[in-house]
Amino acid sequence: MRERIGYGAGALAVLLAASGCGSDPAPAGSSAAPAKPAAASSAAGSPSAGGSASPAQDAVPEAAWAKWGLKPMPKAPAPPADRPIKLTKSGQVPVFSEVPTSDKVVFITIDDGAEKDPKFVEMLTELKVPITMFLTKDIVKGDYGYFKPLQALGNSIQNHTVSHPVMSKLTAAQQKSQVCDDQAALTEQYGTAPYLFRPPYGDGANTPTLNTAVQECGPRAVVLWRESMQIHDMQYQAADKKLKNGDIILAHFRGPSELKGETMTQMFGELLSRIQEQGFTVARLDDYIAKPTG
């Protein structure tokens, strides 16, 4: 059985997404061991402690799915009362790329914010598929407003640095600036402080320097991924090239210029089809994480 939460457990094989991260170096390995989250109180299992409940996908009419050329997505199970990832208020932050769960669900995360296709907002509004957004300040600052309708659907906005650098090539002070400045900008624009962080390319995820920067800037976990969506299919870290319960999938806000003519909605539709073909549905990542209380 694979280890579910990586607390610096050696070499994490992070695949670089060709649609946005493939041109830079692979992540640097490290023996850093972020602290395991403490057990949460029963209050942390409530919706108010861990994020909003997912919209009811069974309320989406078949015609809405058909409009986007898709089969109806099965409804995600109710969020677990005992959320499997429990974050602490202080100390080292965990690094994870999947969620320990017996639910046959996966989680979609979308990075950076480069493509701002209004049809994608329309698609998510109609289909109610949950996502988590990791946004980069310098990429989204020209149109912060694009992501607000997506946030209003219950999709949280998380930290992905200011300028998308290779973090391990920066000094400690520069790494902190990348995390803290993005944290401040996103908090101001969207009214909620990100509690998750994703380093560009997954680089430096398990290093003490980056872990310290994340702690000092506010996020309480580093989130990686098990699969990355390309245009028509996914790249897998697992040798069997199969989804597993609780896998976190990486995609990017991308358009025709980087998707060989495909649109953001076409790519996302292909992603949903690949997920359904393997018998999975999509749940909201926030619903499986107990944020610190108090």
Side-chain angles (χ1 to χ4, degrees):
M1 181 180 293
R2 59 181 179 161
E3 185 171 356
R4 283 301 197 171
I5 300 181
Y7 300 100
L12 176 64
V14 179
L15 292 172
L16 302 181
S19 61
C21 298
S23 61
D24 285 291
S30 172
S31 60
K36 185 174 182 178
S41 66
S42 58
S46 66
S48 62
S52 59
S54 301
Q57 290 173 327
D58 60 347
V60 177
E62 287 192 22
W65 296 98
K67 170 183 173 178
W68 301 99
L70 298 169
K71 297 178 180 179
M73 174 78 69
K75 180 183 177 182
D82 182 17
R83 303 191 179 197
I85 294 182
K86 300 172 175 66
L87 305 183
T88 59
K89 291 180 64 176
S90 61
Q92 290 183 303
V93 302
V95 179
F96 62 90
S97 55
E98 62 271 321
V99 173
T101 180
S102 59
D103 293 340
K104 202 166 180 63
V105 300
V106 294
F107 306 96
I108 296 176
T109 61
I110 309 184
D111 280 11
D112 66 45
E115 178 72 8
K116 302 170 183 67
D117 184 351
K119 296 294 288 185
F120 182 65
V121 177
E122 179 183 339
M123 184 183 201
L124 286 201
T125 301
E126 295 178 354
L127 301 185
K128 300 181 173 67
V129 176
I131 63 171
T132 302
M133 297 173 280
F134 288 83
L135 301 184
T136 300
K137 177 185 174 182
D138 283 357
I139 294 175
V140 304
K141 64 184 181 182
D143 190 1
Y144 284 116
Y146 171 81
F147 304 94
K148 292 183 179 180
L150 295 172
Q151 182 191 30
L153 294 172
N155 301 310
S156 66
I157 290 173
Q158 307 296 345
N159 191 319
H160 196 42
T161 73
V162 170
S163 62
H164 210 273
V166 178
M167 295 294 277
S168 64
K169 294 185 177 182
L170 305 182
T171 66
Q174 289 171 329
Q175 291 190 39
K176 182 178 178 180
S177 178
Q178 284 285 333
V179 182
C180 284
D181 291 357
D182 196 49
Q183 187 81 356
L186 297 180
T187 301
E188 178 182 1
Q189 291 294 325
Y190 299 108
T192 302
Y195 72 101
L196 304 174
F197 172 76
R198 172 172 284 160
Y201 322 106
D203 181 76
N206 290 298
T207 63
T209 301
L210 183 57
N211 200 281
T212 297
V214 173
Q215 293 174 52
E216 292 177 345
C217 296
R220 292 307 308 154
V222 174
V223 180
L224 299 178
W225 60 91
R226 295 296 302 174
E227 294 83 23
S228 60
M229 183 61 188
Q230 304 304 306
I231 301 173
H232 300 291
D233 208 347
M234 287 181 279
Q235 290 183 347
Y236 297 82
Q237 293 180 27
D240 62 3
K241 296 186 177 181
K242 293 181 180 179
L243 294 171
K244 307 294 190 301
N245 292 358
D247 276 1
I248 295 171
I249 300 172
L250 167 67
H252 289 82
F253 285 92
R254 291 290 181 268
S257 63
E258 293 182 275
L259 297 177
K260 297 182 179 179
E262 297 284 312
T263 64
M264 177 84 182
T265 57
Q266 289 173 319
M267 179 273 290
F268 195 76
E270 293 278 6
L271 173 56
L272 296 183
S273 294
R274 302 294 84 75
I275 290 169
Q276 287 182 277
E277 287 168 359
Q278 296 190 45
F280 289 85
T281 192
V282 181
R284 191 178 302 283
L285 182 59
D286 301 80
D287 289 345
Y288 286 71
I289 300 175
K291 294 189 284 187
T293 59

